[in-house]
Amino acid sequence: LLVGLLAAQPDHPRYLAHHVRSLLAADEAPQAEIWLQRLEKVRPQEVGTLELKVRLLQARGKKADAAAVALAY
């Protein structure tokens, strides 16, 4: 269902964020990164986007980078 919604509205921030969260929950960090990049283009400074970036960096084992992103906000 979500993939269909994204196909119809590929830049919808709520759909993108939900998809990234789902991919991270399924340990699909490489795919999540692809979709997060799209979300960052649509909503670069939104708190939810930054949260997902921090979660992705943590999932990739880049805890120092995740902390830097969180502190920069």
Side-chain angles (χ1 to χ4, degrees), residues 4-44:
L5 291 171
L6 281 169
Q9 296 181 12
D11 292 329
H12 193 289
R14 184 175 295 169
Y15 300 158
L16 288 167
H18 184 72
H19 192 49
V20 171
R21 278 191 191 88
S22 297
L23 290 167
L24 288 172
D27 292 325
E28 296 287 341
Q31 284 295 316
E33 185 170 12
I34 293 167
W35 290 96
L36 178 59
Q37 289 172 356
R38 181 176 278 171
L39 179 60
E40 287 177 315
K41 289 178 184 174
V42 177
R43 296 276 198 258

Side-chain angles (χ1 to χ4, degrees), residues 37-55:
Q37 289 172 356
R38 181 176 278 171
L39 179 60
E40 287 177 315
K41 289 178 184 174
V42 177
R43 296 276 198 258
Q45 295 300 317
E46 191 169 288
V47 172
T49 303
L50 295 172
E51 174 213 349
L52 290 171
K53 183 169 188 148
V54 168
R55 289 178 182 257

